[in-house]
């Protein structure tokens, strides 16, 4: 018997090389059914066009173990409250989605494919709607920017304070919207553990095609207001684990690791922590002084920096997964990996080769495109 996952991937294969046309059809059908829906989306639809459709398709195609993604879908539903999404919107999106795929799939489309997409989408929507209904917190909070500092040509670190308290755990991320790019939300990790004054620190790199990240790096200033949605993510410390920890970071993947270190400095006395930072050149190691200060005051922290592209770099050289491997073995450690998608995937492959159990690996990949 063909699995549901296989059916979904087979059916998407009929239109995979025509994704742009599917996306255009999807949005045209959606806005035709309810013109007011256009107001929920950003002005620059060329930025948004592939995001919603891609997210839906990815969720449907990876629907192998419903019980494993139940919590994620509920949290996603809570997060989508920031878009003012209602239960009625889910059914409108489904009609537009299946109509777009059917229209471009040609003669290969059949009733089995249609039923599979209907059933899985309905399950996903039900979980997201339930998650949204359970949440009594505001869908987002307004926050004032207190400090903004450039740490390089394309990196900024800024601090803001929500006008209402935000409950979160070190290692989690939030969606941010700024006034310079209305209705465009992007996710960024909080770079500190919860503080008494409620302030939040963020590290942002201006990605090449990142409208929001570029605005946060180059235009944001003290006094500006942001919208910050509910925290998400599970890259948090395991309170039951007594194993030593290996952090593997690249770029602004340092942010969630700094938050986890912030938490550990408050109580850790027994766990050794190894922080591996991989960058292309020496100048890319922003925040070096602060990390070195933590290491000086916390003898349990060891920092290893590696440059991949600088010939005369005095420290470790090479891709960070290779450097981590050279410093092993790590059979009895917990791993936390954060950085670009390519860096995270390369590290995960290396950890698999090193036979590190997946249950001891938490990770976050950062994109803004």
């Amino acid at each position: 018997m063909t699995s549901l996952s296989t059916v979904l991937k087979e059916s998407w294969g009929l239109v995979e090389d025509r994704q742009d046309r599917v996306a255009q059809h999807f949005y045209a059908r959606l806005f035709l059914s309810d013109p007011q829906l256009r107001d929920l989306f950003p002005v620059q639809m060329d930025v948004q066009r592939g995001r919603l459709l891609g997210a839906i398709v990815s969720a449907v195609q990876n629907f192998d173990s419903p019980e494993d993604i139940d919590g994620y879908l509920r949290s996603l539903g809570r997060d989508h409250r920031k878009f003012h999404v209602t239960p009625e919107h889910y059914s409108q999106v489904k009609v537009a989605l299946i109509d777009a795929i059917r229209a471009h799939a040609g003669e290969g489309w059949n009733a089995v494919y249609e039923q599979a997409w209907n059933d899985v989408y309905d399950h996903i929507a039900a979980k997201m709607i339930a998650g949204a209904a359970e949440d009594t917190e505001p869908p987002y909070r307004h926050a004032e920017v207190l400090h903004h500092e450039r740490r390089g040509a394309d990196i900024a670190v800024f601090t803001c304070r929500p006008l209402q308290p935000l409950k979160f755990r070190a290692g989690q991320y939030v969606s941010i919207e700024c006034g310079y790019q209305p209705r465009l939300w992007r996710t960024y990790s909080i770079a500190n553990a919860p503080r008494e004054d409620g302030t939040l620190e963020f590290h942002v790199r201006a990605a090449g095609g990142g409208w929001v990240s570029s605005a946060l790096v180059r235009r944001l200033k003290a006094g500006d207001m942001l919208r910050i949605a509910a925290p998400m993510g599970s890259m948090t410390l395991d309170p039951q684990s007594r194993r030593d920890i290996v952090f593997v970071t690249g770029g602004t993947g340092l942010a969630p690791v700094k938050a986890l270190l912030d938490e550990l400095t408050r109580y850790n006395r027994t766990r050794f922590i190894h922080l591996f930072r991989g960058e292309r050149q020496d100048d890319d190691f922003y925040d070096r002084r602060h990390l070195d200060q933590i290491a000086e005051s916390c003898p349990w922290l060891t920092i290893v920096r590696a440059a991949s592209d600088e010939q005369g770099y005095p420290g470790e050289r090479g891709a960070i997964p290779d450097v981590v491997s050279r410093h092993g073995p790590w059979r009895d450690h917990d791993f936390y990996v954060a950085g670009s998608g390519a860096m995270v995937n390369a590290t995960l492959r290396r950890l698999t080769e090193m036979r590190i159990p997946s249950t001891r690996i938490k990770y976050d990949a950062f994109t803004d495109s």
Side-chain angles (χ1 to χ4, degrees), residues 269-284:
R269 296 293 183 274
T270 60
R271 303 174 75 178
F272 287 100
I273 314 298
H274 303 267
L275 169 57
F276 289 87
R277 285 194 71 185
E279 301 293 350
R280 290 179 177 171
Q281 301 183 34
D282 188 36
D283 290 345
D284 295 331

Side-chain angles (χ1 to χ4, degrees), residues 344-363:
V344 168
N345 289 334
T347 302
L348 295 179
R349 287 194 295 270
R350 181 56 56 88
L351 295 181
T352 299
E353 294 169 0
M354 296 167 63
R355 301 186 183 279
I356 306 297
S358 60
T359 54
R360 288 201 265 114
I361 303 172
K362 294 186 179 184
Y363 61 93

